Amino acid sequence: MSLSADEDHRRALGRLTRYITEAQEILASWDTYSDEHTDADGWPHDPIAYGYRQRRRDAETWEAFAKIRFVALTHLLPLAERQLPHIPTLRVRPSWSWQLKTLRTSLDEIYRLQESWLAERDALPDRAVPGTQEYDEPLADRNAEAWHYLDTWAVHGQALLDINTAAQQGSRHRADLTTAAVISTAGPKPLSKRTP
């Protein structure tokens, strides 16, 4: 990788790390709210307020993922898919392969839901603007349908970071072995036959 590509890659990984952290914070806040506002059987005390709070969780998670959605599609996931086959077998976690497939499926669904929402939004009447029920309801539906896939990225996105770390360590290890091989084949330099 060139220096600029390497820097872009580090930034993309940083953005993924921020998403995972942000999504976990959103979920923890939701869990606290849910625990406090449901009875022992899990039924909300106030279903309307509960529904609005759940919508907020979904919207916040969507907004957090929107910051990495494009780079996840164009860079993070494809790079991890290319890196995985080149990592030494002993360094590969058995879960990585299915985690990549799960992330790919989730990302495809997120994009499908976004395309569906954009088509629906474009078909709305002019009076349907943000803040109106005609606009907000289908948007909330998109967020609710996407939440599981967004959460999948929060749960399994760490695999992309771990694969990258293993790939980087593997590259350094191969470089060290190559250097050691060159040194060992070169052997010691012969002593000069000239005598003083």
Side-chain angles (χ1 to χ4, degrees):
M1 265 193 250
S2 69
L3 283 176
S4 64
D6 196 41
E7 183 58 34
D8 289 344
H9 181 58
R10 274 196 294 277
R11 276 199 290 267
L13 293 171
R15 289 164 64 189
L16 174 60
T17 301
R18 281 191 298 279
Y19 168 71
I20 293 169
T21 301
E22 198 172 337
Q24 289 171 345
E25 289 169 355
I26 293 165
L27 181 59
S29 177
W30 162 252
D31 287 343
T32 300
Y33 175 89
S34 182
D35 290 345
E36 293 172 357
H37 293 85
T38 54
D39 63 24
D41 295 324
W43 293 99
H45 301 304
D46 181 347
I48 293 173
Y50 190 86
Y52 280 123
R53 182 60 184 80
Q54 190 170 25
R55 281 182 170 198
R56 192 171 102 201
R57 176 205 68 183
D58 299 344
E60 288 174 351
T61 309
W62 177 275
E63 289 167 14
F65 190 77
K67 298 170 192 169
I68 67 159
R69 190 175 69 227
F70 182 72
V71 76
L73 177 70
T74 61
H75 181 76
L76 289 169
L77 191 52
L79 181 60
E81 290 167 337
R82 287 192 308 272
Q83 287 173 321
L84 185 57
H86 301 288
I87 297 172
T89 306
L90 292 175
R91 294 178 186 264
V92 174
R93 289 188 197 152
S95 62
W96 285 347
S97 182
W98 71 260
Q99 284 178 298
L100 289 182
K101 289 176 187 165
T102 299
L103 290 169
R104 172 64 66 191
T105 299
S106 295
L107 191 59
D108 290 346
E109 287 300 311
I110 290 166
Y111 268 88
R112 182 189 63 75
L113 289 166
Q114 176 65 355
E115 288 173 15
S116 178
W117 154 245
L118 292 175
E120 187 172 359
R121 184 197 65 188
D122 291 345
L124 291 173
D126 291 342
R127 67 180 178 277
V129 295
T132 64
Q133 188 172 354
E134 284 178 291
Y135 185 96
D136 291 350
E137 286 299 318
L139 179 60
D141 290 344
R142 184 220 46 201
N143 294 342
E145 287 183 60
W147 188 83
H148 168 74
Y149 305 115
L150 301 170
D151 188 54
T152 296
W153 269 79
V155 171
H156 297 295
Q158 182 65 43
L160 302 180
L161 301 170
D162 295 341
I163 289 168
N164 182 72
T165 299
Q168 297 300 323
Q169 289 171 344
S171 296
R172 281 194 292 276
H173 181 68
R174 283 190 296 278
D176 291 345
L177 289 177
T178 301
T179 302
V182 168
I183 291 170
S184 68
T185 58
K189 290 187 178 181
L191 296 174
S192 173
K193 294 192 180 195
R194 287 189 298 169
T195 55

